[in-house]
Each structure stands twice: as C-alpha cells, then as structure tokens.
Amino acid sequence: MFKNATSEFKKRMAEQPLIQRPVIAPMSSGQDERIYTGSDANPNNNGLQSYTPSKKRKTEVFSQPKDTGTGKHIKSILVAAISYLKSVDEPQTADDIKRKGGVDLAAHAGLFTLLKENEKIDFDQINGTYLYKPTYHIKSKEDLFHMLEKRKNEGGMDFKELKDSYSKLTEAVNELAAEGRILVVRNKDGAPRVLFWNDQRYNTAMDPMFREIWHSLRIPDEIDLPKELEKAGLTHMQVFDKKGPGEMPKRKAARKNRKMKITNTHMTDLDLTKDFVLQK
C-alpha cells in the first residue's frame, strides 16, 4: 500500500505544470532604472512586478570648523590677544594688536582692563603698550646658551618650558646644536625635547675604528634580550612583587557575643541556667 501511495504522489508531481522564472537582462545606463521581479502580484504587467530602487544617500563627512577669527565672547578675544603677544618679542599697542594680530580690544569695554590685570601681561602706562611676560627671559640665541650654562649642574631643561620665552627658540636651538655648543635630545619627529649645555672640555676625539665597532654592534630586541644575556653568561634583573611597608595582612574580625534581649516578660521568674540544665 505504501508503494502505491508513493507512485501516486510521483505521478501527480509529474503532471504539475512547469513555471519558468523570467530573466531580465541587465539594463544599460540609459534605460529605465526600474527592476522587474517574477510575481503574479501585478496581472496587468504580464506577471512582472516592478519597483524603483531608492538612490543611496551620500555619507557626509563633517570636518573640523574652520578658523573664522577670534570669536565674539570676551574670553575668546582675550585668549587671542595673549596668544598674539606671546608670538612677538616687542611691546605692542592696542592698534598693533588689531592691525597685526587681528584682535580688536575695543570689541568689549572690559577687554582693556582684563588684559592689563593679567599676570602674564606687562602694561606700560606711559607708552600704552602690552608685553607678554615669559617664564624665562630669553631674547636671543646667546641668552639661551648662557641660561643653559648657568643650569649645567641641574640637568637639562625641557623645551616646552622655554617655548613661550622666545619666538625664534627653535631656530636658536638648531643653530647652537649645529655649532656644538649645546646637546639636544629630540623626539622621533626631530622636534627638540630636552636641552643640555655642552662642556666642550669633555669632547674627546674618538678613533675611527672604535666608532666603526661601536656602530656595528647590534642591540637585540626586547624579547630576545634575556636569551642573548644568557648566551653571554649574564643574568637579567628580576622584579619581585613585594608588599609595601605599610601593608599589613588583613585579620578576620573577632566574633562578638551578642546580648539577647528577653521579650517574654511573663517568664521573668524563670532561670534558664538552673531549671533546664541537663544533669550528668
């Protein structure tokens, strides 16, 4: 009976009509942009349903806003005026700040007072000029050299601390380094980082062969360094995790005996330590 049902099912499947799915050729750029799909949802279109794909929106990339000036807020104008005075080494009048720096102090009535009272600004009442007061007084390449010489026993000086002292500081550093009068530790991008006074008494001439041997030595990578030390019979320093002197091991708090409050007032004449003690 099972074989008869199977053969009957196969017979009915073979008698079903075959429906071929329409294949639409790709459209050229000048043809209609509608896409047709095989469906009987639209009988007036020969069994083809059409729809127009929506155009993809372009993703807008918003960049940083352009520098449109000093702004309108009184604090913004004050910062712009101080930044301009920091970039010059000579005293500037209000007209110089407006004409050269593009900052109008007359935009707000209180700007003149704020600029005069600023701790980094030196105001000359006689000439009506403003001058930025840097941390270190450096006005030339020689001033920088003598300051580093005075601080030779204190180590190097950070370039960032000196940056607001002299508008041509980078040029002065490069010139002194080229002359061999100072030593400069630089960042990876070549920018100065630390400045040292160079005591030329200790500039010892090296033999060319020694220089060649020195530069030919390869420094192993940090990962391979322990293996290289072991090959040379050396041991690397081990760092142990030690507790600080102030750290004490935590102790468990002692369990305190809590006092029980008897609420059964009708049992005040009953002594539990005597009446209900098991006799041995």
Side-chain angles (χ1 to χ4, degrees):
M1 183 175 181
F2 177 76
K3 293 183 178 180
N4 295 333
T6 304
S7 59
E8 187 68 22
F9 175 76
K10 291 182 178 180
K11 183 179 180 181
R12 282 184 297 173
M13 290 296 296
E15 293 176 354
Q16 295 292 330
L18 298 176
I19 301 175
Q20 186 176 2
R21 183 177 180 181
V23 179
I24 307 299
M27 297 177 298
S28 62
S29 59
Q31 294 179 350
D32 190 4
E33 294 184 357
R34 290 181 298 174
I35 297 177
Y36 298 90
T37 59
S39 174
D40 56 354
N42 189 358
N44 297 326
N45 199 19
N46 296 326
L48 298 179
Q49 184 181 14
S50 64
Y51 68 94
T52 303
S54 59
K55 296 182 179 180
K56 294 183 179 180
R57 296 182 180 180
K58 295 182 179 180
T59 304
E60 297 183 9
V61 179
F62 297 93
S63 60
Q64 295 292 333
K66 296 181 179 180
D67 186 7
T68 56
T70 58
K72 297 181 179 180
H73 196 274
I74 186 172
K75 295 293 185 181
S76 301
I77 302 176
L78 179 63
V79 171
I82 295 176
S83 298
Y84 168 71
L85 292 174
K86 189 187 298 185
S87 64
V88 295
D89 301 319
E90 296 80 15
Q92 302 290 309
T93 63
D95 184 66
D96 294 334
I97 297 174
K98 180 180 179 181
R99 181 167 44 86
K100 299 178 183 178
V103 182
D104 187 8
L105 298 179
H108 290 276
L111 266 176
F112 290 98
T113 304
L114 290 175
L115 193 59
K116 293 175 184 178
E117 296 178 351
N118 192 284
E119 60 180 4
K120 299 295 291 183
I121 300 300
D122 186 12
F123 177 68
D124 188 354
Q125 296 183 355
I126 298 176
N127 299 319
T129 56
Y130 302 87
L131 179 65
Y132 181 79
K133 295 187 297 184
T135 306
Y136 303 95
H137 296 281
I138 302 174
K139 299 299 180 184
S140 64
K141 178 179 69 174
E142 297 300 324
D143 291 344
L144 174 61
F145 174 76
H146 292 306
M147 187 184 65
L148 293 175
E149 185 179 9
K150 290 179 181 179
R151 296 173 176 265
K152 60 182 178 181
N153 296 326
E154 301 179 11
M157 296 194 66
D158 193 347
F159 179 80
K160 292 182 179 179
E161 295 181 1
L162 305 172
K163 198 170 183 180
D164 66 338
S165 302
Y166 185 38
S167 60
K168 300 179 181 179
L169 182 65
T170 304
E171 291 82 350
V173 169
N174 293 334
E175 290 179 6
L176 290 173
E179 296 171 1
R181 301 170 67 184
I182 65 172
L183 302 175
V184 183
V185 177
R186 301 180 181 272
N187 297 322
K188 293 182 179 180
D189 58 354
R193 184 162 61 93
V194 186
L195 309 180
F196 296 88
W197 177 72
N198 184 20
D199 192 347
Q200 299 188 8
R201 294 177 300 173
Y202 301 103
N203 290 350
T204 305
M206 293 294 176
D207 187 85
M209 183 178 296
F210 179 81
R211 291 184 181 182
E212 184 179 354
I213 296 174
W214 176 270
H215 291 292
S216 64
L217 294 176
R218 184 184 64 85
I219 300 177
D221 296 333
E222 185 177 357
I223 300 175
D224 300 332
L225 184 58
K227 296 181 181 179
E228 297 293 335
L229 290 174
E230 290 179 2
K231 291 180 181 179
L234 303 174
T235 57
H236 62 281
M237 182 179 64
Q238 297 179 354
V239 180
F240 297 94
D241 186 13
K242 297 182 179 179
K243 294 184 178 180
E247 297 182 5
M248 298 294 292
K250 295 183 179 180
R251 296 181 179 179
K252 294 184 179 180
R255 188 173 183 180
K256 297 181 180 180
N257 295 327
R258 299 177 59 186
K259 294 182 179 180
M260 295 182 63
K261 184 178 180 181
I262 299 175
T263 58
N264 296 332
T265 56
H266 63 282
M267 301 175 63
T268 54
D269 297 333
L270 183 63
D271 189 355
L272 297 176
T273 61
K274 296 179 181 181
D275 297 336
F276 291 93
V277 177
L278 297 175
Q279 299 294 334
K280 296 182 180 179

